[in-house]
Amino acid sequence: MNGNSIFWLALAVVLGVIEASTANLITVWFAVSALVVAILAALGVSGIALPIIFVVLSATLVVATRPLTKKFLSKKTVATNADRIISATGTVIVDIDPVENAGQVKVMGQIWSAKTADGAPLEAGTAVRVVALEGVRVVVERIEN
């Protein structure tokens, strides 16, 4: 092993450690490229060819695999089924008072803390439609008759 191959092998190890600590599937391709270049350096390739091979191979691997890594690493929203109440209708069971930050509605058989979309108070017995969820609170609007 010559100095070039040791350098590229050390670079491959460092990049592998970085990939292991981040798991973003980008640095791994630089580590693979550095390993290939280390092997080429051990076989006698030298000079400006090694960094060029490293750059070209790294870029090729990243571009070729990026769509796959994006597909597998994309953060998907986990459906909780709570969003199924959006657009559902219900009834105010405890007066909605924006000043007191109080109010409850019954929607699809469940009781939810509620506030109005426009900030207006609503009395118990008022028919409402759910327009959004904010944490564990529904945002409602009055259903006009």
Side-chain angles (χ1 to χ4, degrees), residues 25-112:
L25 293 180
I26 293 291
T27 318
V28 67
W29 303 122
F30 293 100
V32 168
S33 297
L35 184 60
V36 168
V37 171
I39 292 169
L40 291 173
L43 294 175
V45 178
S46 63
I48 192 73
L50 295 175
I52 291 172
I53 293 169
F54 174 76
V55 170
V56 170
L57 185 56
S58 296
T60 303
L61 289 172
V62 169
V63 169
T65 60
R66 190 65 185 151
L68 290 173
T69 58
K70 284 178 80 172
K71 178 181 177 183
F72 289 112
L73 294 179
S74 67
K75 300 199 180 356
K76 296 183 174 118
T77 341
V78 177
T80 62
N81 290 332
D83 56 348
R84 67 190 164 103
I85 69 165
I86 296 176
S87 300
T89 58
T91 306
V92 177
I93 59 172
V94 174
D95 291 353
I96 298 176
D97 183 352
V99 175
E100 296 290 325
N101 199 22
Q104 290 183 336
V105 295
K106 188 169 189 177
V107 180
M108 297 176 67
Q110 297 177 332
I111 297 173
W112 289 82

Side-chain angles (χ1 to χ4, degrees), residues 1 5-21 27-28 30-36 38 54:
M1 283 189 120
S5 60
I6 292 172
F7 167 78
W8 289 105
L9 187 58
L11 182 62
V13 170
V14 168
L15 291 169
V17 169
I18 291 171
E19 178 61 36
S21 66
T27 318
V28 67
F30 293 100
V32 168
S33 297
L35 184 60
V36 168
F54 174 76

